Amino acid sequence: MKGSAVLLVLAVAVGLAPAARAKEAGAPPPPGEVGIFEKLGGQVPLDLKLVDEQGREVAVREIIDRPTLLTLNYFRCAMICTPQLNNLADTLNRLDLTPGKDFKVLTVSFDDRDTPEIAAQKRANYLKLMKRPFPPEGWRFITGDAASTKALADSVGFKFQKQDGGFVHPAAIIVLSPTGRVTRYLYGVDYLPAELTTSIGLAAQGITLPTVNKWLRFCFSYDTEGRKYVFSVTRVVGTITLLAAGALLLTLILKGRSRKRGTTERSAGTGVTR
């Protein structure tokens, strides 16, 4: 009975484990998936046309000419986007590097309803938060049509979904080299100055750095069905189940050995030989 239970638990764990490993293995995302599917060393489309704060069409190669911290947001987002950009601004204030010279920040809206006027206002607001000289070209707020911004997001493995008038999406900084190659992912909404400094320095040399902390935070305020959250829960449950199955199997093996040892000792104690 115990053996059957172990097999059942292992079967469930094996069935769920691929979902837990999907991002790690670089597998293509399932349809409708949301999250970060890392593309370290991947190239952003430099000829892709977006729209700047003045409403002018601009190619990605015109914006990215040095190490760049790319964030993908939408400007009406009142949940995770605001804390992310606010915390990024706070961290940028503590960097020893020179903005616009040593690095750039590029915030691209994936909502085609965001206009250049909104982008310009957003940039003005965040530049006011800077407590150090920060040139306007050091932090760009860019918009574009849905196809173009999605193409940029896809090129760095950033997957989002439109739902109930908003978007469900992850939060991360994608660090790009001066040639537009992905060199690192920084997850979440809180960033350390040393972490950004190291990432920018390596990006300047085109060196990729594997991610250590891969905990993602998502914007879910409007997702009343919780459908997108189920995906991340599945990964967590798969991992926990796999670990639990392993622990259970190890426990049963150890108990079996202990029982066998006890039987052998009792047999020896009675002088029975076999």
Side-chain angles (χ1 to χ4, degrees), residues 117-241:
E117 292 76 18
I118 295 175
Q121 185 59 57
K122 276 286 184 181
R123 178 163 73 166
N125 291 343
Y126 278 98
L127 289 178
K128 288 178 182 177
L129 294 179
M130 308 314 300
K131 300 175 182 178
R132 53 181 296 193
F134 209 104
E137 63 270 18
W139 194 339
R140 305 297 304 273
F141 283 77
I142 302 297
T143 56
D145 60 67
S148 297
T149 55
K150 184 178 184 302
L152 177 64
D154 286 344
S155 73
V156 298
F158 185 98
K159 298 297 181 180
F160 61 92
Q161 281 285 314
K162 190 171 185 178
Q163 193 157 27
D164 298 335
F167 292 86
V168 56
H169 64 91
I173 291 177
I174 299 95
V175 186
L176 304 176
S177 74
T179 59
R181 292 199 174 275
V182 179
T183 61
R184 194 178 185 189
Y185 292 84
L186 302 175
Y187 289 93
V189 300
D190 300 305
Y191 314 106
L192 297 174
E195 188 175 39
L196 287 187
T197 299
T198 299
S199 299
I200 290 168
L202 293 175
Q205 303 174 61
I207 299 173
T208 60
L209 190 65
T211 308
V212 176
N213 178 14
K214 296 191 176 183
W215 287 103
L216 274 173
R217 294 178 66 178
F218 294 84
C219 182
F220 282 114
S221 60
Y222 44 78
D223 191 4
T224 55
E225 297 299 322
R227 178 171 173 268
K228 304 305 175 187
Y229 187 68
V230 171
F231 291 138
S232 60
V233 168
T234 300
R235 294 193 189 93
V236 173
V237 170
T239 302
I240 293 174
T241 304

